Amino acid sequence: MIIPYRGYGTERWVRVLCRVLLTKPERDSRSARARIRGWRSFVSIPVAHAVVTVTVGGVQVSVRADRGGVVDVDLPLEVGFTPGEHTITLQVEDGEPVDAPIDIIDPDARIGLLSDIDDTVMVTSLPRPFLAAWNTFVLDERARRPVPGMAVLYERIVAAHAGLPVVYLSTGAWNVAPTLERFMGRHLYPTGTLLLTDWGPTADRLFRSGRDHKRTSLERLADGFPDIRWILVGDDGQHDEELYQAFVDSHPHNVEAVAIRQLSTPEAVFAGGRRNADVPHRGAPWVQAPNGAELADALTQIGVLPAR
């Protein structure tokens, strides 16, 4: 079966995201997808190198999953889509076809929103060594709590810049994408594409590099949307400041502003301290505050958000 994820694209191409798993037969494929959550998502068997038939605008294309069962591929469009949400169809051999949403970005859009997830949109209040396990194996998204004011901040950004792309970038595994989507829907975060990473070892290391994942994801967005200036949102407990500063240095024309959520003292203790306090801020407007409301005020002061 296929677990579809929200993709994005332009009038000329789309980025298709999904994962292929081996599951027990179910009469209702929606019931099967509902079971793939929490720790079950990690004991489900990925189908390495599965062939997936993608139907976009009536045109069928066959693509192949990676060894983790993940499909992440850009496909050219033979029939252009208008800006907005569209649906493509995904199917594997002997599997039921499933629909996947695709956000076609308005070619006139000039601002985008990119946000980290852990400690930026949601707080788990756990030591960093246990955070990955928590995000992996906790079954219920209600066990996590949102960062105060961040959903309202993001809705204000979306309202101020019609048609902007919204992307959530995390070092979390694709296995927990459904849980994250339910969490964001429950707490009224704007709908957007999740960019997660595969779980498990690579050819040369036991665990994948989260920093490399975020770095390459930023580069891919800059290449795909060269005219968009991103509002980058993260926190001061990981490597967001360092990564964002490097992106500002290499792509200054692609950054509108950087907003850093400052962790509370207990959160900073759990996170192992504020790791990038010595990172210089240059090349773009930077704001810092402990919550979404104060970040909104700071972004209003520098003109990124209009005054209410």
Side-chain angles (χ1 to χ4, degrees):
M1 66 172 293
I2 293 177
I3 307 296
Y5 306 127
R6 178 176 294 272
Y8 61 76
T10 70
E11 296 172 320
R12 300 183 304 276
W13 56 269
V14 292
R15 183 175 182 179
V16 179
L17 298 163
C18 69
R19 191 162 182 256
V20 186
L21 299 175
L22 188 64
T23 65
K24 292 182 179 180
E26 292 277 352
R27 290 184 178 180
D28 185 352
S29 60
R30 289 173 298 179
S31 298
R33 285 196 293 275
R35 290 191 296 105
I36 308 299
R37 62 174 65 184
W39 61 268
R40 292 177 179 84
S41 67
F42 281 80
V43 298
S44 299
I45 302 172
V47 183
H49 313 302
V51 175
V52 177
T53 300
V54 183
T55 304
V56 184
V59 178
Q60 289 189 342
V61 179
S62 293
V63 299
R64 190 175 294 275
D66 64 17
R67 66 175 184 165
V70 175
V71 171
D72 181 357
V73 63
D74 293 343
L75 295 179
L77 286 178
E78 296 185 18
V79 178
F81 282 165
T82 57
E85 181 177 307
H86 294 265
T87 300
I88 64 174
T89 302
L90 310 172
Q91 187 172 14
V92 290
E93 184 180 3
D94 298 328
E96 293 292 328
V98 299
D99 292 335
I102 296 286
D103 291 327
I104 300 299
I105 308 306
D106 192 324
D108 295 328
R110 292 296 177 265
I111 300 295
L113 171 62
L114 181 139
S115 173
D116 179 45
I117 295 180
D118 288 318
D119 288 328
T120 302
V121 304
M122 72 177 185
V123 179
T124 53
S125 296
L126 285 174
R128 283 287 171 194
F130 303 117
L131 183 58
W134 171 266
N135 287 338
T136 297
F137 298 116
V138 169
L139 298 180
D140 196 338
E141 66 276 7
R142 283 178 284 243
R144 308 150 193 242
R145 60 185 177 89
V147 173
M150 295 302 286
V152 175
L153 167 62
Y154 290 0
E155 285 293 348
R156 286 189 60 187
I157 293 174
V158 169
H161 304 283
L164 90 169
V166 178
V167 176
Y168 297 98
L169 176 59
S170 173
T171 57
W174 281 114
N175 311 61
V176 297
T179 300
L180 294 177
E181 289 174 344
R182 290 192 299 271
F183 172 88
M184 292 185 199
R186 178 179 298 277
H187 295 287
L188 304 180
Y189 280 96
T191 300
T193 296
L194 290 173
L195 295 182
L196 307 179
T197 187
D198 200 3
W199 187 66
T202 64
D204 59 352
R205 58 192 303 164
L206 184 59
F207 294 103
R208 297 176 187 272
S209 170
R211 297 177 66 179
D212 287 348
H213 163 65
K214 285 190 171 183
R215 186 181 300 109
T216 56
S217 295
L218 287 166
E219 291 289 338
R220 189 167 177 179
L221 288 170
D223 291 342
F225 302 101
D227 297 325
I228 286 183
R229 297 173 61 84
W230 295 91
I231 300 171
L232 306 175
V233 188
D235 64 82
D236 63 0
Q238 300 186 57
H239 300 286
D240 291 343
E241 290 182 81
E242 180 183 346
L243 288 167
Y244 289 169
Q245 184 61 71
F247 186 71
V248 171
D249 291 342
S250 60
H251 299 278
H253 58 287
N254 287 127
V255 180
E256 179 73 3
V258 182
I260 298 297
R261 188 230 165 192
Q262 297 169 313
L263 303 187
S264 67
T265 299
E267 290 168 348
V269 170
F270 284 130
R274 294 180 173 86
R275 302 186 181 184
N276 298 293
D278 58 343
V279 173
H281 297 162
R282 59 182 180 271
W286 286 70
V287 298
Q288 299 183 82
N291 56 60
E294 293 183 52
L295 282 174
D297 290 342
L299 289 171
T300 300
Q301 292 176 9
I302 64 175
V304 174
L305 279 179
R308 287 186 171 182

PDB file of all heavy atoms in Angstrom, residues 223-251:
ATOM      1  N   ASP A 223      16.545  26.219  -5.575  1.00  0.00           N
ATOM      2  CA  ASP A 223      16.632  25.879  -6.992  1.00  0.00           C
ATOM      3  C   ASP A 223      15.250  25.810  -7.638  1.00  0.00           C
ATOM      4  O   ASP A 223      15.060  26.231  -8.784  1.00  0.00           O
ATOM      5  CB  ASP A 223      17.349  24.536  -7.169  1.00  0.00           C
ATOM      6  CG  ASP A 223      18.832  24.609  -6.826  1.00  0.00           C
ATOM      7  OD1 ASP A 223      19.379  25.731  -6.794  1.00  0.00           O
ATOM      8  OD2 ASP A 223      19.426  23.543  -6.574  1.00  0.00           O
ATOM      9  N   GLY A 224      14.281  25.252  -6.918  1.00  0.00           N
ATOM     10  CA  GLY A 224      12.950  25.082  -7.484  1.00  0.00           C
ATOM     11  C   GLY A 224      12.154  26.371  -7.562  1.00  0.00           C
ATOM     12  O   GLY A 224      11.307  26.532  -8.446  1.00  0.00           O
ATOM     13  N   PHE A 225      12.427  27.302  -6.624  1.00  0.00           N
ATOM     14  CA  PHE A 225      11.696  28.567  -6.573  1.00  0.00           C
ATOM     15  C   PHE A 225      12.693  29.726  -6.481  1.00  0.00           C
ATOM     16  O   PHE A 225      12.832  30.354  -5.426  1.00  0.00           O
ATOM     17  CB  PHE A 225      10.735  28.583  -5.382  1.00  0.00           C
ATOM     18  CG  PHE A 225       9.729  27.469  -5.391  1.00  0.00           C
ATOM     19  CD1 PHE A 225       9.911  26.348  -4.595  1.00  0.00           C
ATOM     20  CD2 PHE A 225       8.610  27.534  -6.212  1.00  0.00           C
ATOM     21  CE1 PHE A 225       8.984  25.315  -4.599  1.00  0.00           C
ATOM     22  CE2 PHE A 225       7.682  26.502  -6.228  1.00  0.00           C
ATOM     23  CZ  PHE A 225       7.859  25.390  -5.424  1.00  0.00           C
ATOM     24  N   PRO A 226      13.404  30.015  -7.555  1.00  0.00           N
ATOM     25  CA  PRO A 226      14.467  31.023  -7.496  1.00  0.00           C
ATOM     26  C   PRO A 226      13.978  32.437  -7.214  1.00  0.00           C
ATOM     27  O   PRO A 226      14.772  33.293  -6.782  1.00  0.00           O
ATOM     28  CB  PRO A 226      15.112  30.933  -8.884  1.00  0.00           C
ATOM     29  CG  PRO A 226      14.049  30.359  -9.759  1.00  0.00           C
ATOM     30  CD  PRO A 226      13.282  29.410  -8.894  1.00  0.00           C
ATOM     31  N   ASP A 227      12.679  32.710  -7.440  1.00  0.00           N
ATOM     32  CA  ASP A 227      12.160  34.064  -7.236  1.00  0.00           C
ATOM     33  C   ASP A 227      11.489  34.255  -5.887  1.00  0.00           C
ATOM     34  O   ASP A 227      10.973  35.340  -5.602  1.00  0.00           O
ATOM     35  CB  ASP A 227      11.159  34.405  -8.351  1.00  0.00           C
ATOM     36  CG  ASP A 227      11.801  34.430  -9.724  1.00  0.00           C
ATOM     37  OD1 ASP A 227      12.969  34.837  -9.814  1.00  0.00           O
ATOM     38  OD2 ASP A 227      11.130  34.023 -10.702  1.00  0.00           O
ATOM     39  N   ILE A 228      11.448  33.205  -5.063  1.00  0.00           N
ATOM     40  CA  ILE A 228      10.768  33.301  -3.771  1.00  0.00           C
ATOM     41  C   ILE A 228      11.766  33.632  -2.670  1.00  0.00           C
ATOM     42  O   ILE A 228      12.853  33.073  -2.596  1.00  0.00           O
ATOM     43  CB  ILE A 228      10.013  31.989  -3.455  1.00  0.00           C
ATOM     44  CG1 ILE A 228       8.761  31.903  -4.340  1.00  0.00           C
ATOM     45  CG2 ILE A 228       9.633  31.900  -1.981  1.00  0.00           C
ATOM     46  CD1 ILE A 228       7.898  30.692  -4.084  1.00  0.00           C
ATOM     47  N   ARG A 229      11.354  34.563  -1.818  1.00  0.00           N
ATOM     48  CA  ARG A 229      12.128  34.927  -0.630  1.00  0.00           C
ATOM     49  C   ARG A 229      11.451  34.286   0.578  1.00  0.00           C
ATOM     50  O   ARG A 229      10.267  34.523   0.835  1.00  0.00           O
ATOM     51  CB  ARG A 229      12.196  36.447  -0.469  1.00  0.00           C
ATOM     52  CG  ARG A 229      12.916  37.132  -1.632  1.00  0.00           C
ATOM     53  CD  ARG A 229      12.831  38.641  -1.544  1.00  0.00           C
ATOM     54  NE  ARG A 229      13.448  39.148  -0.334  1.00  0.00           N
ATOM     55  CZ  ARG A 229      14.752  39.384  -0.192  1.00  0.00           C
ATOM     56  NH1 ARG A 229      15.578  39.139  -1.208  1.00  0.00           N
ATOM     57  NH2 ARG A 229      15.247  39.857   0.931  1.00  0.00           N
ATOM     58  N   TRP A 230      12.203  33.479   1.315  1.00  0.00           N
ATOM     59  CA  TRP A 230      11.632  32.666   2.384  1.00  0.00           C
ATOM     60  C   TRP A 230      11.712  33.363   3.732  1.00  0.00           C
ATOM     61  O   TRP A 230      12.733  33.992   4.061  1.00  0.00           O
ATOM     62  CB  TRP A 230      12.353  31.325   2.472  1.00  0.00           C
ATOM     63  CG  TRP A 230      12.152  30.484   1.262  1.00  0.00           C
ATOM     64  CD1 TRP A 230      12.936  30.445   0.145  1.00  0.00           C
ATOM     65  CD2 TRP A 230      11.064  29.584   1.014  1.00  0.00           C
ATOM     66  NE1 TRP A 230      12.414  29.574  -0.779  1.00  0.00           N
ATOM     67  CE2 TRP A 230      11.263  29.029  -0.277  1.00  0.00           C
ATOM     68  CE3 TRP A 230       9.957  29.182   1.756  1.00  0.00           C
ATOM     69  CZ2 TRP A 230      10.384  28.109  -0.831  1.00  0.00           C
ATOM     70  CZ3 TRP A 230       9.079  28.255   1.207  1.00  0.00           C
ATOM     71  CH2 TRP A 230       9.300  27.725  -0.068  1.00  0.00           C
ATOM     72  N   ILE A 231      10.650  33.242   4.497  1.00  0.00           N
ATOM     73  CA  ILE A 231      10.683  33.566   5.930  1.00  0.00           C
ATOM     74  C   ILE A 231      11.054  32.272   6.633  1.00  0.00           C
ATOM     75  O   ILE A 231      10.282  31.306   6.629  1.00  0.00           O
ATOM     76  CB  ILE A 231       9.317  34.084   6.417  1.00  0.00           C
ATOM     77  CG1 ILE A 231       8.918  35.349   5.649  1.00  0.00           C
ATOM     78  CG2 ILE A 231       9.353  34.350   7.923  1.00  0.00           C
ATOM     79  CD1 ILE A 231       7.487  35.802   5.927  1.00  0.00           C
ATOM     80  N   LEU A 232      12.240  32.222   7.212  1.00  0.00           N
ATOM     81  CA  LEU A 232      12.761  31.009   7.841  1.00  0.00           C
ATOM     82  C   LEU A 232      12.496  31.075   9.342  1.00  0.00           C
ATOM     83  O   LEU A 232      12.917  32.017  10.015  1.00  0.00           O
ATOM     84  CB  LEU A 232      14.269  30.885   7.581  1.00  0.00           C
ATOM     85  CG  LEU A 232      14.720  30.950   6.119  1.00  0.00           C
ATOM     86  CD1 LEU A 232      16.244  30.929   6.036  1.00  0.00           C
ATOM     87  CD2 LEU A 232      14.118  29.801   5.311  1.00  0.00           C
ATOM     88  N   VAL A 233      11.814  30.069   9.875  1.00  0.00           N
ATOM     89  CA  VAL A 233      11.466  30.048  11.302  1.00  0.00           C
ATOM     90  C   VAL A 233      12.075  28.809  11.940  1.00  0.00           C
ATOM     91  O   VAL A 233      11.923  27.687  11.431  1.00  0.00           O
ATOM     92  CB  VAL A 233       9.935  30.052  11.505  1.00  0.00           C
ATOM     93  CG1 VAL A 233       9.610  30.239  12.988  1.00  0.00           C
ATOM     94  CG2 VAL A 233       9.273  31.145  10.672  1.00  0.00           C
ATOM     95  N   GLY A 234      12.770  28.996  13.052  1.00  0.00           N
ATOM     96  CA  GLY A 234      13.381  27.882  13.776  1.00  0.00           C
ATOM     97  C   GLY A 234      13.492  28.214  15.246  1.00  0.00           C
ATOM     98  O   GLY A 234      12.787  29.089  15.758  1.00  0.00           O
ATOM     99  N   ASP A 235      14.379  27.532  15.944  1.00  0.00           N
ATOM    100  CA  ASP A 235      14.573  27.776  17.376  1.00  0.00           C
ATOM    101  C   ASP A 235      16.062  27.787  17.693  1.00  0.00           C
ATOM    102  O   ASP A 235      16.889  27.431  16.854  1.00  0.00           O
ATOM    103  CB  ASP A 235      13.846  26.713  18.213  1.00  0.00           C
ATOM    104  CG  ASP A 235      14.409  25.318  18.007  1.00  0.00           C
ATOM    105  OD1 ASP A 235      15.427  24.996  18.652  1.00  0.00           O
ATOM    106  OD2 ASP A 235      13.850  24.556  17.200  1.00  0.00           O
ATOM    107  N   ASP A 236      16.388  28.215  18.915  1.00  0.00           N
ATOM    108  CA  ASP A 236      17.795  28.359  19.290  1.00  0.00           C
ATOM    109  C   ASP A 236      18.324  27.163  20.069  1.00  0.00           C
ATOM    110  O   ASP A 236      19.363  27.244  20.715  1.00  0.00           O
ATOM    111  CB  ASP A 236      18.029  29.642  20.079  1.00  0.00           C
ATOM    112  CG  ASP A 236      17.281  29.686  21.411  1.00  0.00           C
ATOM    113  OD1 ASP A 236      16.570  28.714  21.747  1.00  0.00           O
ATOM    114  OD2 ASP A 236      17.401  30.706  22.127  1.00  0.00           O
ATOM    115  N   GLY A 237      17.629  26.015  19.989  1.00  0.00           N
ATOM    116  CA  GLY A 237      18.077  24.838  20.718  1.00  0.00           C
ATOM    117  C   GLY A 237      18.703  23.779  19.841  1.00  0.00           C
ATOM    118  O   GLY A 237      19.194  22.772  20.350  1.00  0.00           O
ATOM    119  N   GLN A 238      18.683  23.952  18.512  1.00  0.00           N
ATOM    120  CA  GLN A 238      19.280  22.970  17.630  1.00  0.00           C
ATOM    121  C   GLN A 238      20.353  23.665  16.790  1.00  0.00           C
ATOM    122  O   GLN A 238      21.135  24.442  17.317  1.00  0.00           O
ATOM    123  CB  GLN A 238      18.206  22.329  16.740  1.00  0.00           C
ATOM    124  CG  GLN A 238      17.110  21.614  17.524  1.00  0.00           C
ATOM    125  CD  GLN A 238      16.151  20.882  16.604  1.00  0.00           C
ATOM    126  OE1 GLN A 238      16.543  20.036  15.811  1.00  0.00           O
ATOM    127  NE2 GLN A 238      14.878  21.204  16.707  1.00  0.00           N
ATOM    128  N   HIS A 239      20.346  23.398  15.486  1.00  0.00           N
ATOM    129  CA  HIS A 239      21.322  24.012  14.602  1.00  0.00           C
ATOM    130  C   HIS A 239      20.651  24.942  13.605  1.00  0.00           C
ATOM    131  O   HIS A 239      21.241  25.274  12.576  1.00  0.00           O
ATOM    132  CB  HIS A 239      22.100  22.924  13.846  1.00  0.00           C
ATOM    133  CG  HIS A 239      22.838  21.980  14.736  1.00  0.00           C
ATOM    134  ND1 HIS A 239      24.000  22.321  15.410  1.00  0.00           N
ATOM    135  CD2 HIS A 239      22.572  20.691  15.094  1.00  0.00           C
ATOM    136  CE1 HIS A 239      24.424  21.289  16.128  1.00  0.00           C
ATOM    137  NE2 HIS A 239      23.571  20.289  15.958  1.00  0.00           N
ATOM    138  N   ASP A 240      19.431  25.379  13.909  1.00  0.00           N
ATOM    139  CA  ASP A 240      18.693  26.187  12.952  1.00  0.00           C
ATOM    140  C   ASP A 240      19.413  27.494  12.628  1.00  0.00           C
ATOM    141  O   ASP A 240      19.493  27.887  11.460  1.00  0.00           O
ATOM    142  CB  ASP A 240      17.295  26.485  13.484  1.00  0.00           C
ATOM    143  CG  ASP A 240      16.414  25.246  13.528  1.00  0.00           C
ATOM    144  OD1 ASP A 240      16.763  24.244  12.860  1.00  0.00           O
ATOM    145  OD2 ASP A 240      15.395  25.259  14.233  1.00  0.00           O
ATOM    146  N   GLU A 241      19.927  28.178  13.652  1.00  0.00           N
ATOM    147  CA  GLU A 241      20.585  29.460  13.404  1.00  0.00           C
ATOM    148  C   GLU A 241      21.792  29.286  12.484  1.00  0.00           C
ATOM    149  O   GLU A 241      21.999  30.072  11.549  1.00  0.00           O
ATOM    150  CB  GLU A 241      21.012  30.100  14.723  1.00  0.00           C
ATOM    151  CG  GLU A 241      19.846  30.593  15.565  1.00  0.00           C
ATOM    152  CD  GLU A 241      20.322  31.255  16.838  1.00  0.00           C
ATOM    153  OE1 GLU A 241      20.702  32.438  16.783  1.00  0.00           O
ATOM    154  OE2 GLU A 241      20.325  30.574  17.884  1.00  0.00           O
ATOM    155  N   GLU A 242      22.586  28.269  12.748  1.00  0.00           N
ATOM    156  CA  GLU A 242      23.759  28.010  11.917  1.00  0.00           C
ATOM    157  C   GLU A 242      23.373  27.674  10.482  1.00  0.00           C
ATOM    158  O   GLU A 242      23.961  28.197   9.517  1.00  0.00           O
ATOM    159  CB  GLU A 242      24.572  26.866  12.526  1.00  0.00           C
ATOM    160  CG  GLU A 242      25.824  26.494  11.763  1.00  0.00           C
ATOM    161  CD  GLU A 242      26.547  25.320  12.381  1.00  0.00           C
ATOM    162  OE1 GLU A 242      26.237  24.967  13.545  1.00  0.00           O
ATOM    163  OE2 GLU A 242      27.404  24.744  11.700  1.00  0.00           O
ATOM    164  N   LEU A 243      22.372  26.804  10.324  1.00  0.00           N
ATOM    165  CA  LEU A 243      21.939  26.405   8.986  1.00  0.00           C
ATOM    166  C   LEU A 243      21.316  27.575   8.234  1.00  0.00           C
ATOM    167  O   LEU A 243      21.585  27.774   7.035  1.00  0.00           O
ATOM    168  CB  LEU A 243      20.942  25.261   9.092  1.00  0.00           C
ATOM    169  CG  LEU A 243      21.509  23.904   9.505  1.00  0.00           C
ATOM    170  CD1 LEU A 243      20.395  22.938   9.868  1.00  0.00           C
ATOM    171  CD2 LEU A 243      22.357  23.313   8.375  1.00  0.00           C
ATOM    172  N   TYR A 244      20.477  28.346   8.922  1.00  0.00           N
ATOM    173  CA  TYR A 244      19.835  29.475   8.264  1.00  0.00           C
ATOM    174  C   TYR A 244      20.857  30.536   7.879  1.00  0.00           C
ATOM    175  O   TYR A 244      20.750  31.155   6.815  1.00  0.00           O
ATOM    176  CB  TYR A 244      18.756  30.073   9.168  1.00  0.00           C
ATOM    177  CG  TYR A 244      17.524  29.200   9.345  1.00  0.00           C
ATOM    178  CD1 TYR A 244      16.565  29.493  10.302  1.00  0.00           C
ATOM    179  CD2 TYR A 244      17.312  28.069   8.549  1.00  0.00           C
ATOM    180  CE1 TYR A 244      15.432  28.711  10.473  1.00  0.00           C
ATOM    181  CE2 TYR A 244      16.191  27.275   8.712  1.00  0.00           C
ATOM    182  CZ  TYR A 244      15.254  27.602   9.683  1.00  0.00           C
ATOM    183  OH  TYR A 244      14.138  26.814   9.853  1.00  0.00           O
ATOM    184  N   GLN A 245      21.844  30.782   8.747  1.00  0.00           N
ATOM    185  CA  GLN A 245      22.864  31.772   8.402  1.00  0.00           C
ATOM    186  C   GLN A 245      23.662  31.338   7.182  1.00  0.00           C
ATOM    187  O   GLN A 245      23.972  32.151   6.304  1.00  0.00           O
ATOM    188  CB  GLN A 245      23.801  32.014   9.577  1.00  0.00           C
ATOM    189  CG  GLN A 245      24.832  33.119   9.327  1.00  0.00           C
ATOM    190  CD  GLN A 245      24.166  34.455   9.054  1.00  0.00           C
ATOM    191  OE1 GLN A 245      23.594  35.060   9.952  1.00  0.00           O
ATOM    192  NE2 GLN A 245      24.248  34.941   7.819  1.00  0.00           N
ATOM    193  N   ALA A 246      23.977  30.056   7.108  1.00  0.00           N
ATOM    194  CA  ALA A 246      24.688  29.549   5.933  1.00  0.00           C
ATOM    195  C   ALA A 246      23.842  29.734   4.676  1.00  0.00           C
ATOM    196  O   ALA A 246      24.362  30.073   3.601  1.00  0.00           O
ATOM    197  CB  ALA A 246      25.049  28.077   6.129  1.00  0.00           C
ATOM    198  N   PHE A 247      22.528  29.528   4.787  1.00  0.00           N
ATOM    199  CA  PHE A 247      21.649  29.705   3.632  1.00  0.00           C
ATOM    200  C   PHE A 247      21.558  31.181   3.260  1.00  0.00           C
ATOM    201  O   PHE A 247      21.548  31.530   2.065  1.00  0.00           O
ATOM    202  CB  PHE A 247      20.265  29.146   3.948  1.00  0.00           C
ATOM    203  CG  PHE A 247      19.322  29.157   2.785  1.00  0.00           C
ATOM    204  CD1 PHE A 247      19.498  28.290   1.717  1.00  0.00           C
ATOM    205  CD2 PHE A 247      18.253  30.043   2.756  1.00  0.00           C
ATOM    206  CE1 PHE A 247      18.628  28.306   0.634  1.00  0.00           C
ATOM    207  CE2 PHE A 247      17.375  30.060   1.681  1.00  0.00           C
ATOM    208  CZ  PHE A 247      17.562  29.192   0.621  1.00  0.00           C
ATOM    209  N   VAL A 248      21.486  32.054   4.257  1.00  0.00           N
ATOM    210  CA  VAL A 248      21.486  33.494   3.979  1.00  0.00           C
ATOM    211  C   VAL A 248      22.762  33.895   3.243  1.00  0.00           C
ATOM    212  O   VAL A 248      22.734  34.666   2.274  1.00  0.00           O
ATOM    213  CB  VAL A 248      21.336  34.301   5.279  1.00  0.00           C
ATOM    214  CG1 VAL A 248      21.570  35.788   5.018  1.00  0.00           C
ATOM    215  CG2 VAL A 248      19.962  34.089   5.898  1.00  0.00           C
ATOM    216  N   ASP A 249      23.900  33.370   3.696  1.00  0.00           N
ATOM    217  CA  ASP A 249      25.176  33.713   3.063  1.00  0.00           C
ATOM    218  C   ASP A 249      25.229  33.264   1.607  1.00  0.00           C
ATOM    219  O   ASP A 249      25.759  33.972   0.741  1.00  0.00           O
ATOM    220  CB  ASP A 249      26.331  33.078   3.841  1.00  0.00           C
ATOM    221  CG  ASP A 249      26.533  33.702   5.209  1.00  0.00           C
ATOM    222  OD1 ASP A 249      26.040  34.819   5.437  1.00  0.00           O
ATOM    223  OD2 ASP A 249      27.168  33.046   6.065  1.00  0.00           O
ATOM    224  N   SER A 250      24.695  32.066   1.317  1.00  0.00           N
ATOM    225  CA  SER A 250      24.786  31.524  -0.039  1.00  0.00           C
ATOM    226  C   SER A 250      23.634  31.961  -0.944  1.00  0.00           C
ATOM    227  O   SER A 250      23.786  31.976  -2.169  1.00  0.00           O
ATOM    228  CB  SER A 250      24.844  29.989   0.011  1.00  0.00           C
ATOM    229  OG  SER A 250      23.688  29.450   0.628  1.00  0.00           O
ATOM    230  N   HIS A 251      22.496  32.307  -0.334  1.00  0.00           N
ATOM    231  CA  HIS A 251      21.321  32.700  -1.129  1.00  0.00           C
ATOM    232  C   HIS A 251      20.660  33.940  -0.513  1.00  0.00           C
ATOM    233  O   HIS A 251      19.490  33.895  -0.130  1.00  0.00           O
ATOM    234  CB  HIS A 251      20.312  31.558  -1.195  1.00  0.00           C
ATOM    235  CG  HIS A 251      20.820  30.315  -1.842  1.00  0.00           C
ATOM    236  ND1 HIS A 251      20.847  30.130  -3.211  1.00  0.00           N
ATOM    237  CD2 HIS A 251      21.336  29.179  -1.309  1.00  0.00           C
ATOM    238  CE1 HIS A 251      21.340  28.949  -3.496  1.00  0.00           C
ATOM    239  NE2 HIS A 251      21.649  28.348  -2.355  1.00  0.00           N
TER     240      HIS A 251
END
